[in-house]
Amino acid sequence: MTEYGYVLACADHGPKALVEQARMAEDAGFTALWISDRFHPWTDAQGHSPFVWSVIGALSQVTSLPVQTAVTCPTVRVHPVVAAHAAATAAVQLEGRFRFGVGSGEALNEHVTGERWPPAAVRLEMLEEAVEVMRRLHTGERVTHYGRHYTVENARLYDLPEEPVPIDVSGFGPAAIELAARIGDGFVCVGPRGDAVRRFHHAGGGRQGAQAPTFTGLKAAYDTSRDEAVRTVHRRWPHLFLPGELGQVLPTPAHVEQAAGLVTEERVARSPIPCGPDPEAHVAALRGGAEAGFDRVFTSQLGSDVRGFFDFYRTEVLPRLA
């Protein structure tokens, strides 16, 4: 049976607000949490981007829900040794309720150290090596590694969870999905991508040779007015409607805003994102993720009324999905 979770959007909320949303999500009946890992927001209108690992530490003290990053890029801004250290500590704090979602990243967050932003094929190669390094570190062994992209010397993690941290790999295009099917403990995607789930399973369905769990994220914009919800999405999240690989290669929020200037309110209104107070629209979106074959479907509130969103989902949406 599909589970339904909530997305803690670090681009749109500060650290204290995210912790409070985690409490509200559990009270509303959501059964899991996603949290984004960013250095920049998508646009200045969003206006936030707290350090995800500090927030996860706080989450471990206020919620009993499982937490998954969606997703961390452990290849450029953060060395895989540091990423492995952070993930292990998070798993200890959450007492095994942590899954480490990883992906090949976006220039918007990763180029800030001045390193060259590689093409997609190289980023996937880097990700595969990074996952190998992190898994070795999560065994507790002392690791020395001289690879094509990373050097590790005499590194050992001392605080580890009882079980190795599951590393779930995100994928959107064919090459990334097939990499996830080869090296992932689970598969992370965005949208009701039944084609992606089928490709993942066809390519092996996870590194253990069995069908690993699959996760996807959707968007929603609750408001008492549909028109106001559409306006909020257009003002704060216009990048969702950019085509192709723009989201992976644009380097700053200003560049994203320039490209998103081509997105109209009419385009937002025509999108499958449920906007406004119609519970059936929100239910249909979540069911679409389940029918696509995902084991957990996460949604996030793009509208401005966060408390109203949780009340609405607790009383009108999640009971219809039970």
Side-chain angles (χ1 to χ4, degrees):
M1 179 180 292
T2 300
E3 297 182 51
Y4 298 98
Y6 181 71
V7 180
L8 299 169
C10 287
D12 216 19
H13 302 281
K16 291 183 178 180
L18 293 168
V19 172
E20 181 59 25
Q21 286 178 31
R23 289 195 188 99
M24 291 191 286
E26 186 165 9
D27 290 343
F30 288 102
T31 61
L33 297 169
W34 256 14
I35 186 165
S36 54
D37 181 356
R38 313 193 56 78
F39 188 87
H40 287 138
W42 289 100
T43 65
D44 284 346
Q46 292 174 335
H48 293 280
S49 198
F51 187 56
V52 69
W53 301 106
S54 298
V55 179
I56 289 173
L59 294 178
S60 72
Q61 302 304 299
V62 302
T63 181
S64 64
L65 298 182
V67 177
Q68 180 180 28
T69 53
V71 291
T72 294
C73 177
T75 60
V76 179
R77 171 172 50 106
V78 179
H79 191 282
V81 165
V82 178
H85 192 187
T89 298
V92 170
Q93 290 175 304
L94 286 157
E95 299 180 320
R97 292 176 287 112
F98 178 71
R99 298 189 72 96
F100 191 23
V102 300
S104 60
E106 300 137 353
L108 182 67
N109 299 303
E110 305 305 323
H111 86 290
V112 294
T113 62
E115 296 293 328
R116 173 178 174 266
W117 183 237
V122 175
R123 299 202 306 272
L124 291 176
E125 187 179 86
M126 294 170 71
L127 180 62
E128 183 166 9
E129 185 178 337
V131 169
E132 176 192 349
V133 167
M134 293 188 297
R135 283 213 174 96
R136 288 181 61 192
L137 287 164
H138 285 168
T139 68
E141 68 176 275
R142 189 176 303 279
V143 175
T144 294
H145 170 88
Y146 299 103
R148 181 170 183 178
H149 300 286
Y150 301 107
T151 297
V152 182
E153 293 187 342
N154 304 317
R156 180 185 172 191
L157 299 180
Y158 283 81
D159 286 289
L160 292 164
E162 292 183 2
E163 298 293 331
V165 180
I167 300 179
D168 305 317
V169 179
S170 71
F172 303 102
I177 295 171
E178 289 170 11
L179 176 65
R182 189 170 70 252
I183 71 169
D185 292 310
F187 173 53
V188 178
C189 195
V190 174
R193 293 278 309 278
D195 62 315
V197 176
R198 290 188 294 273
R199 182 180 288 272
F200 174 74
H201 289 324
H202 181 72
R207 73 187 185 106
Q208 300 298 335
Q211 292 188 350
T214 55
F215 311 89
T216 195
L218 308 178
K219 308 292 185 185
Y222 167 78
D223 201 292
T224 55
S225 161
R226 184 177 190 276
D227 290 343
E228 182 56 32
V230 168
R231 284 192 288 270
T232 300
V233 175
H234 180 252
R235 182 175 69 254
R236 299 179 69 87
W237 292 84
H239 65 279
L240 295 174
F241 307 94
L242 295 178
E245 296 184 42
L246 278 177
Q248 282 69 55
V249 300
L250 294 174
T252 69
H255 289 95
V256 174
E257 289 168 359
Q258 290 166 14
L262 300 173
V263 177
T264 65
E265 281 190 22
E266 290 74 20
R267 173 68 183 87
V268 176
R270 294 195 310 270
S271 79
I273 295 174
C275 292
D278 178 6
E280 290 302 331
H282 293 259
V283 169
L286 290 172
R287 280 187 178 145
E291 291 167 358
F294 289 97
D295 298 302
R296 277 186 187 162
V297 178
F298 295 82
T299 191
S300 58
Q301 161 66 334
L302 306 186
S304 57
D305 185 0
V306 174
R307 190 168 296 278
F309 168 89
F310 285 117
D311 288 341
F312 174 65
Y313 268 64
R314 176 176 53 81
T315 59
E316 300 291 339
V317 178
L318 294 179
R320 287 172 161 87
L321 295 162

